[in-house]
Amino acid sequence: TWFDLPNYPTDIFKLVFSSEDVGYAFGRGAYSGGDFGSFYGAIYYTTDAGSSWKGSNKIHEIGMIESASFPTANTGYAISGNVIVKINK
């Protein structure tokens, strides 16, 4: 059965679960607008195995997030262009 999730992430390029219940979605956020605008970064997280998501698609400090990895359950890294973002649980 398929159904819409509250605040579900869109334009996601990487989905990583660091445990059975905790997961992160990374991707392209909202467009800044204008002729020379850019896309913001987007990071969402779930603590209930994906039933609900919290996060933002308007992370101004970084652009679209292309990839991510969690070498440990508590620490992850995401890549946005030439920027590395550290995520601590």
Side-chain angles (χ1 to χ4, degrees), residues 45-74:
Y45 70 95
T46 181
T47 57
D48 57 10
S51 293
S52 64
W53 294 87
K54 296 178 183 175
S56 175
N57 71 346
K58 293 183 180 179
I59 301 174
H60 299 249
E61 296 80 11
I62 56 174
M64 135 177 100
I65 299 171
E66 297 135 5
S67 187
S69 176
F70 275 77
T72 71
N74 295 321

Side-chain angles (χ1 to χ4, degrees), residues 3-77:
F3 56 92
D4 286 336
L5 298 172
N7 194 32
Y8 63 92
T10 59
D11 287 332
I12 296 304
F13 299 114
K14 185 71 173 186
L15 183 64
V16 179
F17 275 78
S18 60
S19 72
E20 187 174 317
D21 293 325
V22 178
Y24 299 86
F26 302 93
R28 178 175 53 209
Y31 186 67
S32 65
D35 291 338
F36 302 101
S38 61
F39 286 97
Y40 300 130
I43 301 176
Y44 292 87
Y45 70 95
T46 181
T47 57
D48 57 10
S51 293
S52 64
W53 294 87
K54 296 178 183 175
S56 175
N57 71 346
K58 293 183 180 179
I59 301 174
H60 299 249
E61 296 80 11
I62 56 174
M64 135 177 100
I65 299 171
E66 297 135 5
S67 187
S69 176
F70 275 77
T72 71
N74 295 321
T75 304
Y77 298 91

